[in-house]
Amino acid sequence: MPSALSRAAAIVGAAEADEIGYPSTPKTALQLHIEAIKNVSEQTGIPISRIDGVFSAGWSSQLAEHLGLHPKYIDTTSVGGCSFEMHVHHALAAIHAGIIDVALISHGENGWSARATGGRGTGRPRGAPDPWDPGQQHQAIYGVAGAPSNYAHAMTRHNYRFGSTPEDFAHIAVVTRQWAMLNPRAIMFSKETNPGGGPITVEDVQNSRVVAWPLTLLHCCLVTDYGGAVLVARPEIARSVKTKPVWIAGAGESMGHQNMLEMEDFTATSAAASAAAAYRMAGMGPEDMEMAMIYDSFTITAGITAEMLGLAPRGEGFLLWKDGRAGPGGKFPINTNGGGLSFNHSGMYGMQLLVEAYRQLSRTAEDGVTGLPGKQVNARSCIVNGTGGSLSTTGTLILVAD
């Protein structure tokens, strides 16, 4: 049976910054935020002045000031790429409690432009570690440092424990690219838009240059710019705006560890716990899901997460992509925008998951371009799972169409 929080609020709009990916001129993180916020306000018809809750990964105070807002609820939760799924959970609770009516959840990250501007708004140059971080003192000296090496450990452990292979996970990159080729906004849409774009094969994935063995380049996500924003509103408002509501049926969050060497099992994440909480709130289960938006910082991330969400047996998550179920025309679409592997990945990918889930469930996904089919699917329920850190924190949402 659903809990009292289930469907107590809805996502009523989702929009992106004016130019994402590789902008023609460098952009700041704040610029990406503001463009997306302006666009979602115009999309829904909800004026910015009506927003009374501001949720963002460390930017909420600056955003409120820049927008001229005096919010009743402020959330700066910043635990990596799943932060935005957690923000939706927190906004749902705040709306249900009667504290706020309209919540803004915003993200802006210049992962690409930071190469030119020298930083990503963290107060530290891009790539420079904090020498006092315990992970730097006790983990990096052993070579376990940075996302690729961390996720390489997860891949090799999965291969050893379950008999899987890197080639098995390469299918995830191949299928995700197939979705990207239906999305004109995707970085890897075609060779015309990017020399590395267009179709790829398992052999292409395996033969691309090694980043952290056994992970090759095409097992890894992109590095881009991205700005995105969603508005969450109480039911009365959700039913009065000009856009379609997508209801928040369930939400959950969990944390397993911070430093990779504290991870109890490299093949299991806290997504099992956050998904269980979301399913309970929604009164639904894996069998009720018709599509999924799964964080894919690396192919191994998506494969393991599918197992944690109960969408596939342990050790067999990659089969969703390998047997064609997850791809265009398949029975269980996953990452229909092209994912972090081929659409866009600015560093924290959770907002991109939310925007695509909203577009699919509100039936506003792109129609494609001349001569190509669109990527709109017919699903009415979607599980969204974000991952933060190195398989560390997770936020899970169950979203349903009106």
Side-chain angles (χ1 to χ4, degrees), residues 347-378:
M348 294 189 288
Y349 182 70
M351 178 58 73
Q352 289 92 319
L353 297 168
L354 289 178
V355 171
E356 180 65 9
Y358 174 80
R359 286 175 169 165
Q360 286 290 350
L361 294 177
S362 64
R363 302 295 187 267
T364 56
E366 288 83 355
D367 292 328
V369 297
T370 302
L372 290 176
K375 62 183 179 66
Q376 178 71 64
V377 302
N378 294 320

Side-chain angles (χ1 to χ4, degrees), residues 74 98 119 168 177 200 205 224 235 248 251 301 322 343-344 348 398:
I74 302 167
D168 288 329
R177 179 65 63 87
I200 56 174
V205 177
T224 68
I248 306 161
T301 316
K322 192 172 183 179
F343 162 54
N344 182 294
M348 294 189 288
I398 307 297

Side-chain angles (χ1 to χ4, degrees), residues 51-310:
I51 294 167
D52 52 4
V54 179
F55 300 70
S56 190
W59 283 84
S60 297
S61 299
Q62 190 168 16
L63 288 177
E65 180 180 72
H66 195 87
L67 297 170
L69 296 174
H70 302 283
K72 300 175 185 176
Y73 197 102
I74 302 167
D75 190 325
T76 60
T77 298
S78 183
V79 288
C82 62
S83 300
F84 315 102
E85 283 68 40
M86 293 182 177
H87 293 156
V88 172
H89 184 191
H90 302 171
L92 173 69
I95 289 171
H96 177 68
I99 301 172
I100 58 175
D101 295 319
V102 178
L104 165 68
I105 299 165
S106 179
H107 177 47
E109 188 172 23
N110 57 347
W112 172 257
S113 290
R115 298 169 186 241
T117 60
R120 296 161 85 174
T122 61
R124 193 179 302 119
R126 177 179 170 82
D130 179 353
W132 297 105
D133 187 315
Q136 291 297 314
Q137 297 183 56
H138 306 296
Q139 182 170 292
I141 59 174
Y142 296 106
V144 186
S149 63
N150 288 346
Y151 284 80
H153 284 293
M155 174 77 87
T156 54
R157 183 60 183 173
H158 195 283
N159 294 167
Y160 173 80
R161 180 173 177 181
F162 297 109
S164 61
T165 66
E167 289 82 359
D168 288 329
F169 287 91
H171 287 272
I172 297 175
V174 172
V175 170
T176 307
R177 179 65 63 87
Q178 292 170 0
W179 282 115
M181 291 167 60
L182 300 178
N183 181 6
R185 295 178 298 113
I187 294 296
M188 296 299 185
F189 172 60
S190 69
K191 291 187 181 297
E192 286 70 31
T193 59
N194 189 308
I200 56 174
T201 65
V202 169
E203 290 72 25
D204 290 332
V205 177
Q206 290 306 104
N207 292 333
S208 58
R209 68 176 175 84
V210 173
V211 175
W213 186 89
L215 297 177
T216 62
L217 181 65
L218 294 179
H219 278 284
C220 306
C221 66
L222 302 166
V223 180
T224 68
D225 283 8
Y226 189 80
V230 301
L231 290 178
V232 178
R234 66 173 56 260
E236 299 86 345
I237 296 172
R239 294 199 181 280
S240 69
V241 297
K242 61 184 181 181
T243 49
K244 294 181 180 179
V246 169
W247 299 95
I248 306 161
E253 55 194 78
S254 185
M255 175 178 174
H257 61 280
Q258 168 60 26
N259 294 304
M260 190 77 174
L261 291 183
E262 298 299 319
M263 193 173 180
E264 295 180 6
D265 179 353
F266 282 178
T267 70
T269 76
S270 64
S274 61
Y279 286 137
R280 282 195 302 271
M281 183 187 293
M284 302 171 77
E287 68 281 0
D288 299 308
M289 299 299 102
E290 298 179 13
M291 70 181 303
M293 298 296 158
I294 299 177
Y295 206 96
D296 60 342
S297 47
F298 299 86
T299 56
I300 184 66
T301 316
I304 288 178
T305 301
E307 299 170 21
M308 297 297 100
L309 303 182

Side-chain angles (χ1 to χ4, degrees), residues 12-23:
V12 295
E16 295 172 332
D18 298 338
E19 189 179 9
I20 61 174
Y22 304 144

